[in-house]
Amino acid sequence: MHPALSVIFFTVTSGAGYGLLLLLGSARLSGIAPEISSNQTLFAGIVGLVLVTLGLLSSTLHLANPKNAWRSFARFKTSWLSREAVFAILFYPICLVWLAVVWAVGNSTLSLVLGLFVAVMSIVILVCTAMIYASLKTIRQWNNPLTTVNFILLGLLLGSLILLLMLHQQNIVVSRLIVISVFLISLSALTKIIYFVWIGQPAGPTINTALGFTRATVRILDVGHSSDTFLNKEFGYEVARARLIWLRCLCVLLAFVVPAFLVSGVIGEVGFIHLIAAAFSAYVGVFVERWLFFAEARHVVNLYHGRQQT
Amino acid sequence: MKLGLVIDLDTCVGCHACAVACKQWNTSGTTGPLSDYQPYGEEPSGVWFNRIRHYEVGDYPTNKTINAPMSCMHCDDAACVTVCPTGASYKREEDGIVLVDQSKCMGCNLCSWACPYGARELDEEAGVMKKCTLCVDRIYDENLPEEERKPACVLTCPSHARFFGDFDDPQSEVSSLVRERGGYAMMPELGYQPVNKYLPPRQRPKAPTVAAKQSEDSGGLIAKWLKRQKDAFNQLGEG
């Protein structure tokens, strides 16, 4: 698949925003940061909303006809993209009411309940975003349960590192959040590496089932067009094997290894420099991960263009 | 009604006339224009509803060239319609034709991602998704003589490899062709139940070669008679 930067930026940045708001919304109850003050919640909440908004704005750059974007709420019943759009819009009033309550009333039972509601909405939106890709049977690299798991975990991972940076700057004890971050890093590294191994096994339709000649070899003679078509440009993207391996290593290094070392205090006592480097490294690493997510995905239409299997 | 096409891979000669006729009709039809990008430039490209690809099936000396024209299969369970967030993509109740409402499409490309057959192409000029309409603006046109109320690709095919009709009617030409010739769907394992069907190449007796002729001539009367019976038996299952 053609890796469109607008969509990559959208899924990574919005994912980080929802991950941040998920952790923040449940921070007092889960004990991530029980003593967080209302002003600190407000600040972190606004940062989360800005991330979410930047991502959503970027997603509209991908549309060829953005003036009809408002129509995307129409097919909530069947389309994951529509569900994502509906929940993303519903999220704003809920999150703003929560932040308003935090600002006006301070830490109360009401803000606690609204915060939980925000956390639940965040995870619902992360699932919807992932399901846009995971529901496509035409792309086996996406059509598996690990897609959703990775979207949620990587959103949470980025959110936790950004929250860690902000809380540390405001002199809040972050030892628990550090444990959670390290746990998220380990878990998401594990699921991502399993994903890389998993998609290495060819499966699904072949050129034979695509054309219905299942008892003989099938080879392409001519694709029937002389220069690139929409189908080639959208689905024909190929990454060289050596570059792929290099990028996978870079992704694992930047998204998981570097942040794990910086946050866990292996390299000196955890300070501002460590945390900002960890968040930046993880963001770049997840960006590479999302680029690979698209670039490694092979649509079955490539079978008609001569690929033997996907 | 379940309207669709049957394409005969036995007789298709791969001339691309169906694609050209399709482009000609539809570029001035209800979903037109089918934009071209630098049509007279170095890399001419554009929107097509119908594309023909050419394959070699089997290995020499039993290989064969197959020309496979592909357009929208008007699937019974059309994933492109399921994933469309705006409601621009829809499948008509009355005849099963899958269409795009150009005024609703936001050009997100998701339907083209969901389609395994490459039937949908984004018109970069118009910013909306375009696809085969089964010539919906032609097959119901009462101003046309009845024999011309067929998709442009079917009418133009010089080798009569394309058939149009109602798959719900077991007596229709398309239904009987599928029945008699073993018509099949492409990539059925994805479960989208494509309506369009393809007819496999007919089995033909092997072309005579010198080596085969010599082996036929050798042996006694009984051996020749046995061989003839064996050949006749082997041909029983071949249409």
Side-chain angles (χ1 to χ4, degrees), chain A residues 3-41:
Chain A
L5 283 183
S6 56
V7 180
I8 297 173
F9 181 81
F10 153 60
T11 55
V12 175
T13 312
S14 284
Y18 290 123
L20 172 60
L21 289 164
L22 198 162
L23 292 168
L24 188 68
S26 59
R28 278 170 60 212
L29 204 69
S30 63
I32 293 170
E35 72 277 32
I36 190 167
S37 77
S38 51
N39 277 345
Q40 289 158 341
T41 308

Side-chain angles (χ1 to χ4, degrees), chain A residues 229-299:
Chain A
T229 68
F230 169 77
L231 300 174
N232 285 91
K233 284 185 267 183
E234 190 72 4
F235 306 115
Y237 196 88
E238 285 282 338
V239 203
R241 185 89 193 135
R243 194 156 163 242
L244 197 70
I245 292 167
W246 185 80
L247 281 169
R248 279 180 173 190
C249 293
L250 188 73
C251 156
V252 171
L253 186 74
L254 291 180
F256 310 121
V257 179
V258 171
F261 274 103
L262 287 168
V263 167
S264 60
V266 176
I267 322 169
E269 198 182 326
V270 180
F272 174 71
I273 298 290
H274 289 80
L275 291 180
I276 199 159
F280 183 74
S281 168
Y283 186 87
V284 176
V286 175
F287 205 91
V288 174
E289 181 274 335
R290 209 50 51 87
W291 188 90
L292 281 171
F293 177 74
F294 283 93
E296 286 191 84
R298 280 195 294 268
H299 195 281

Side-chain angles (χ1 to χ4, degrees), chain B:
Chain B
M1 242 190 343
K2 192 199 281 188
L3 296 182
L5 301 173
V6 163
I7 294 163
D8 189 348
L9 297 180
D10 190 58
T11 51
C12 175
V13 293
C15 67
H16 294 238
C18 51
V20 176
C22 164
K23 179 106 173 170
Q24 186 272 333
W25 175 264
N26 284 296
T27 202
S28 44
T30 48
T31 52
L34 272 61
S35 303
D36 282 322
Y37 322 123
Q38 37 168 328
Y40 304 103
E42 293 261 308
E43 297 277 316
S45 181
V47 182
W48 295 76
F49 292 168
N50 189 5
R51 291 188 182 272
I52 297 93
R53 299 169 184 113
H54 312 272
Y55 304 90
E56 181 184 15
V57 175
D59 299 305
Y60 179 82
T62 53
N63 53 346
K64 182 170 171 57
T65 301
I66 295 292
N67 308 295
M70 288 179 68
S71 52
C72 175
M73 307 277 179
H74 299 281
C75 299
D76 264 349
D77 185 4
C80 53
V81 175
T82 312
V83 302
C84 175
T86 62
S89 284
Y90 61 104
K91 186 171 170 70
R92 293 179 13 143
E93 283 283 323
E94 62 269 36
D95 51 18
I97 300 180
V98 177
L99 291 174
V100 179
D101 182 341
Q102 313 262 306
S103 63
K104 287 184 182 169
C105 176
M106 66 174 187
C108 70
N109 282 359
L110 190 56
C111 56
S112 71
W113 295 5
C115 173
Y117 307 108
R120 289 171 166 252
E121 300 195 10
L122 184 81
D123 185 331
E124 288 163 30
E125 296 282 318
V128 292
M129 197 52 75
K130 296 194 172 170
K131 67 176 290 300
C132 160
T133 63
L134 213 57
C135 286
V136 71
D137 45 7
R138 168 162 201 138
I139 55 178
Y140 293 113
D141 188 348
E142 288 179 4
N143 293 323
L144 292 171
E146 205 171 335
E147 63 275 15
E148 281 184 29
R149 289 180 213 159
K150 286 179 177 177
C153 56
V154 174
L155 281 172
T156 207
C157 180
S159 63
H160 297 289
R162 303 180 72 98
F163 305 88
F164 164 73
D166 177 13
F167 285 85
D168 268 351
D169 173 10
Q171 300 310 316
S172 68
E173 187 184 25
V174 286
S175 295
S176 33
L177 275 169
V178 167
R179 213 166 36 235
E180 286 156 19
R181 299 268 314 274
Y184 65 92
M186 281 184 174
M187 225 191 283
E189 66 270 35
L190 290 185
Y192 297 141
Q193 293 163 275
V195 170
N196 286 10
K197 296 289 184 293
Y198 288 80
L199 304 180
R202 290 180 179 89
Q203 298 281 336
R204 288 191 179 81
K206 287 190 183 80
T209 59
V210 176
K213 185 86 178 78
Q214 280 168 351
S215 83
E216 206 173 277
D217 291 343
S218 64
L221 270 177
I222 295 171
K224 275 186 191 167
W225 181 83
L226 270 174
K227 192 169 185 328
R228 274 207 304 281
Q229 302 313 309
K230 201 176 150 200
D231 288 346
F233 181 77
N234 285 340
Q235 277 171 12
L236 273 179
E238 298 169 0

Side-chain angles (χ1 to χ4, degrees), chain A residues 125-145:
Chain A
I125 297 170
L126 281 172
V127 169
C128 288
T129 311
M131 282 308 290
I132 295 173
Y133 307 101
S135 66
L136 298 174
K137 280 195 273 185
T138 46
I139 301 165
R140 70 170 179 88
Q141 287 86 355
W142 293 355
N143 188 222
N144 68 59

